[in-house]
Amino acid sequence: MSHRILLLGAPGAGKGTQSTKLADEYGVEHVTTGDALRANKDMETEYGTPRSFMEAGELVPDPVVNEIVEAALADADGFVLDGYPRNLEQAEYLSEITDLDAVIFLDVDEEVLVDRLTGRRVCDDCGANFHVDFQPPEEAGVCDECGGELIQRDDDTEETARERLEVFYDNTEPVIDHFRDEGVLVEVDGEAAPDEVFDRIRDVLDE
């Protein structure tokens, strides 16, 4: 059976980690907005190509993102969708173009999210990701992969993390309410270890 799964959650909730695990477990595509846009940046829409907005440093308009996501889902034999929809208009569009088997919201307390986001470290050379608490390198500040320096990105400071979360709450709470009203939303406690969270998600899907 092919699964069509939507994973929702705030920055730091673990959507990327869980989406990758789910894609491997069920043999489906992991579809992210960013990947879909990059793969289809020259796709013609009535509003122009995604490339025209990306190269101008502008946000890609909702109608263009909608078309790109629709094309990505149409090509996939089952999927885990991560990073879309970001607002109510996109959520309503998604409900029109596909029937989802499951909409899972990873519920994580704000202070836990801030700890996760601010603890992230990235290799300045190869881009490998670590976390001071959950995935520390063997030697503090040094990348296990290439020996490069581990840095904290500007968008992983506490001030920026809280700003990102505020944007998420403003834009995405209506999305959560939309799927709750449709009766398809399942909330999963996302504060446990990644493997435990994955087991909880799998239990939901296998019911």
Side-chain angles (χ1 to χ4, degrees):
M1 173 184 172
S2 193
H3 288 76
R4 297 181 298 276
I5 306 160
L6 170 61
L7 209 56
L8 297 172
K15 296 189 302 299
T17 298
Q18 298 302 332
S19 293
T20 300
K21 286 174 169 287
L22 288 165
D24 290 343
E25 175 78 7
Y26 294 104
V28 296
E29 298 271 350
H30 178 196
V31 178
T32 73
T33 313
D35 288 346
L37 285 170
R38 285 186 287 274
N40 296 280
K41 56 190 173 186
D42 293 315
M43 179 174 153
E44 290 287 350
T45 75
E46 63 177 294
Y47 302 92
T49 64
R51 182 193 293 273
S52 63
F53 297 98
M54 294 159 76
E55 291 184 348
E58 299 173 2
L59 284 174
V60 181
D62 280 355
V64 178
V65 176
N66 289 343
E67 285 193 38
I68 295 296
V69 170
E70 183 173 7
L73 299 186
D75 290 340
D77 182 21
F79 57 81
V80 182
L81 182 56
D82 160 23
Y84 175 100
R86 292 184 181 272
N87 56 48
L88 181 57
E89 290 74 18
Q90 291 181 352
E92 291 172 341
Y93 186 84
L94 181 63
S95 291
E96 291 174 3
I97 63 171
T98 189
D99 292 321
L100 296 165
D101 297 319
V103 179
I104 295 169
F105 173 59
L106 297 177
D107 189 19
V108 180
D109 181 77
E110 181 172 338
E111 294 310 311
V112 175
L113 294 170
V114 171
D115 286 345
R116 288 181 179 180
L117 292 170
T118 56
R120 184 163 50 187
R121 298 294 183 268
V122 180
C123 178
D124 204 23
D125 291 333
C126 74
N129 281 278
F130 298 87
H131 194 281
V132 294
D133 295 321
F134 309 119
Q135 191 184 355
E138 292 181 10
E139 181 181 347
V142 179
C143 176
D144 292 349
E145 304 292 331
C146 72
E149 179 187 4
L150 298 183
I151 61 170
Q152 183 183 48
R153 299 187 312 188
D154 290 342
D155 61 352
D156 289 336
T157 63
E158 180 172 351
E159 180 182 2
T160 306
R162 292 194 184 278
E163 288 174 358
R164 290 174 64 195
L165 292 173
E166 194 62 39
V167 169
F168 169 80
Y169 296 137
D170 287 346
N171 291 338
T172 313
E173 285 290 350
V175 173
I176 295 166
D177 289 340
H178 168 78
F179 289 112
R180 185 180 286 119
D181 291 344
E182 287 199 339
V184 295
L185 185 79
V186 178
E187 297 188 33
V188 169
D189 182 352
E191 293 187 16
D195 286 347
E196 189 175 337
V197 174
F198 178 68
D199 287 342
R200 293 171 181 172
I201 295 172
R202 189 168 53 186
D203 287 345
V204 171
L205 295 175
D206 292 346
E207 281 182 356

